[in-house]
Amino acid sequence: MDTPDPLAALFDGERHGGAPVADPESGDPGLWRRRLRHDIRHELGTIIMLASAVAVADDIGETSRARVEQLLGETRWLDHLIRRLDEDGDAAAEPPRHPERIRVDELVAEVVTGARLATPHRVGLAVDGPAGRAWAHMDAVALWRALRNVLDNACRVAEGRVDVRVAVEHGWVVIQVDDDGPGFGRRAPGGLASLGLGIVHDLVSGYGGSLEIRTGEMGGARVRLLLPAAPPPDGDPVAGDPGAGDPGDDWRPHP
């Protein structure tokens, strides 16, 4: 009779959604996931290193360089997500809450830049905050995930145009995404869109925000994320370096 392969059993348990199977050597149910995260981070580090080398190469054009730099940024976000899992551990019962003062307009611009490189549609961006800036207290990773879900949905169903607007209105930072698609409820695939918006609602409401869905002026869906506005750093609402702020406000992941 064949001897069962403990590694095969481990993967079978993960595939079939059963209870976590203990590592065959240590008996620790969480060890396999920690080792897997370690390997993922190692592979992401390799991709970051290779993409960084291509980004500074002399034999690529500006368009290709922009795409490589965006790929590099997306990979760093993935690395940041894995690091967050490591920090919060396997036993966390609730999603992490790490609110900090962030430049919402900068984060939105970064996500829009990625969308422009990944879709044939026109993706517009307008910022109506004071001096083109909008601040909120929220975890940057949570907001990145929420906006990516909304913008990916919009780009997937749009006919040719998606507009993103950031504004400060009555104590709220509003991120508005409009598309010229068929409208919410007539989208395909609807199940995926509904799941994404459920994730968005949970991420935003966990920081005192809210999610609104309605019909927009272009005939498609209008999705609005409302976040409680935060005051800007001292002396930074209008003048000074656009990137100025407290050292603790630097949420951008680095390799």
Side-chain angles (χ1 to χ4, degrees):
M1 183 176 65
D2 294 337
T3 302
D5 183 350
L7 289 179
L10 194 64
F11 280 101
D12 285 342
E14 292 295 323
R15 279 199 301 265
H16 293 106
V21 181
D23 180 78
E25 296 182 0
S26 68
D28 182 356
L31 181 59
W32 183 81
R33 285 190 173 88
R34 291 194 295 273
R35 288 175 171 172
L36 180 60
R37 289 200 297 266
H38 172 272
D39 290 345
I40 292 173
R41 286 180 57 189
H42 176 77
E43 295 302 322
L44 288 174
T46 301
I47 295 172
I48 289 172
M49 180 182 66
L50 294 173
S52 298
V54 174
V56 298
D58 296 328
D59 57 349
I60 64 171
E62 290 304 314
T63 299
S64 296
R65 192 184 311 280
R67 292 185 181 277
V68 171
E69 289 176 349
Q70 185 61 34
L71 173 64
L72 184 59
E74 297 291 323
T75 308
R76 284 174 175 164
W77 272 116
L78 293 176
D79 180 68
H80 198 49
L81 290 172
I82 295 295
R83 291 176 187 272
R84 177 60 55 80
L85 283 175
D86 289 341
E87 292 169 2
D88 292 298
D90 294 303
E94 297 293 334
R97 298 285 184 260
H98 299 285
E100 54 190 312
R101 181 170 52 193
I102 62 173
R103 279 278 301 274
V104 176
D105 56 291
E106 287 186 338
L107 188 149
V108 172
E110 185 171 342
V111 175
V112 168
T113 298
R116 285 171 174 165
L117 294 173
T119 180
H121 302 320
R122 174 183 174 272
V123 183
L125 173 62
V127 181
D128 298 334
R133 305 182 190 184
W135 299 87
H137 277 125
M138 188 171 178
D139 173 43
V141 174
L143 182 54
W144 177 78
R145 291 176 58 198
L147 183 56
R148 280 292 298 268
N149 270 286
V150 173
L151 197 51
D152 287 352
N153 279 344
C155 289
R156 185 170 58 249
V157 302
E159 294 293 333
R161 179 180 169 191
V162 175
D163 284 345
V164 182
R165 174 177 173 263
V166 181
V168 180
E169 302 175 356
H170 309 294
W172 296 90
V173 174
V174 180
I175 306 172
Q176 179 174 292
V177 180
D178 288 279
D179 66 68
D180 62 354
F184 189 77
R186 296 181 295 276
R187 301 174 159 221
L192 184 59
S194 299
L195 175 62
L197 290 175
I199 294 172
V200 172
H201 174 270
D202 291 345
L203 289 169
V204 173
S205 63
Y207 295 90
S210 61
L211 172 67
E212 297 179 353
I213 303 172
R214 60 186 69 169
T215 300
E217 296 176 358
M218 291 191 291
R222 168 171 291 176
V223 179
R224 287 162 51 95
L225 309 180
L226 285 79
L227 313 172
D234 294 340
D236 191 58
V238 176
D241 179 5
D246 296 338
D249 292 335
D250 183 12
W251 45 265
R252 295 177 184 273
H254 302 283

